[in-house]
Amino acid sequence: MLWCDMEASLNLLNLGLGRMVITKFCSERIAKYAFEYAYLNNRKKVTAVHKANIMKLADGLFLESCREVAKKYPGITYNEIIVDNCCMQLVAKPEQFDVMVTPNLYGNLVANTAAGIAGGTGVMPGGNVGADHAVFEQGASAGNVGKDSIVRKNKANPVALLLSSAMMLRHLQFPSFADRLETAVKRVISEGKCRTKDLGGQSTTQEVVDAVIAKLE
């Protein structure tokens, strides 16, 4: 499952009031990215996550843009879901989703919900892809992210960063290397002998990394 969150969603604080600014240009850009990703990776469905029932102008424009782009990809199923229901459906029936496209705020909600389902923030990779540059990092913002004490104790889960590295390799057009790294990570996790504490084990960060290296073929 993949979600794309829109950089064009900007929250401004003005006299205590929140304003969401969404442009048609950037809405169309992120929608096109989601559909192009689905097309190139043989994905079957794109779901737009929104709150247009309340944010009628901002999210309404976002949905309008998604619908226009969807018409250009008749082979890909397109549907829409309100963010509240989306989070509930993720927990109840995550297999119904494939590619998800959202404004920035809802992307954070979806990412952290998905991380909890997948096993925690320590296993969730992420990427920030722009027109000219891309940054790959841990995909959810809770758990062991930014906790120096966990890092110093060598207890941080490296899986999310390793999988983010695989995403970077695929972005740089090195799919075979990405596949090798992802396969090695999956083997280590599935065997269950070497896991950090957040996944029910007692292994250190370095021990997990060494185990993944040993599985590389």
Side-chain angles (χ1 to χ4, degrees):
M1 181 170 56
L2 174 91
W3 60 92
C4 308
D5 57 8
M6 188 174 63
E7 296 176 54
S9 173
L10 177 63
N11 290 325
L12 299 176
L13 243 118
N14 183 26
L15 300 178
L17 299 176
R19 292 182 180 179
M20 179 179 285
V21 179
I22 290 181
T23 68
K24 185 175 181 63
F25 172 79
C26 288
S27 295
E28 290 178 346
R29 186 177 70 174
I30 191 63
K32 183 177 180 180
Y33 181 88
F35 278 93
E36 278 293 304
Y37 181 92
Y39 175 77
L40 293 173
N41 291 274
N42 197 32
R43 310 296 277 269
K44 304 300 182 183
K45 182 168 69 172
V46 172
T47 300
V49 183
H50 66 94
K51 191 66 175 175
N53 55 323
I54 303 298
M55 309 294 290
K56 298 183 185 299
L57 293 179
D59 284 20
L61 176 61
F62 171 72
L63 286 183
E64 179 184 308
S65 301
C66 288
R67 291 165 187 166
E68 290 177 2
V69 173
K71 294 176 183 177
K72 301 176 182 178
Y73 296 84
I76 299 174
T77 301
Y78 169 72
N79 68 334
E80 300 166 356
I81 188 170
I82 295 175
V83 63
D84 321 40
N85 186 33
C86 175
C87 291
M88 184 186 73
Q89 293 296 326
L90 268 173
V91 174
K93 195 178 179 183
E95 65 273 13
Q96 69 185 283
F97 298 104
D98 196 350
V99 175
M100 305 167 74
V101 57
T102 88
N104 185 269
L105 174 62
Y106 315 143
N108 290 336
L109 301 176
V110 169
N112 282 276
T113 302
I117 296 169
T121 56
V123 300
M124 179 65 68
N128 305 279
V129 181
D132 300 309
H133 305 284
V135 176
F136 296 87
E137 58 184 351
Q138 197 152 348
S141 57
N144 63 8
V145 182
K147 289 189 176 180
D148 292 337
S149 60
I150 296 179
V151 174
R152 286 196 301 269
K153 293 177 181 177
N154 201 22
K155 292 183 177 181
N157 191 340
V159 168
L161 190 58
L162 291 170
L163 293 178
S164 297
S165 300
M167 290 179 67
M168 180 184 69
L169 288 169
R170 190 162 282 112
H171 178 76
L172 294 173
Q173 305 298 315
F174 294 109
S176 61
F177 291 104
D179 290 342
R180 287 175 58 195
L181 180 54
E182 287 178 347
T183 299
V185 171
K186 290 175 183 177
R187 286 179 177 176
V188 170
I189 293 176
S190 62
E191 285 181 0
K193 297 177 181 179
C194 195
R195 296 178 180 176
T196 48
K197 188 175 182 180
D198 59 314
L199 294 182
Q202 296 297 325
S203 302
T204 65
T205 305
Q206 191 60 54
E207 287 172 342
V208 175
V209 172
D210 289 342
V212 171
I213 292 174
K215 292 293 183 182
L216 287 172
E217 295 179 352

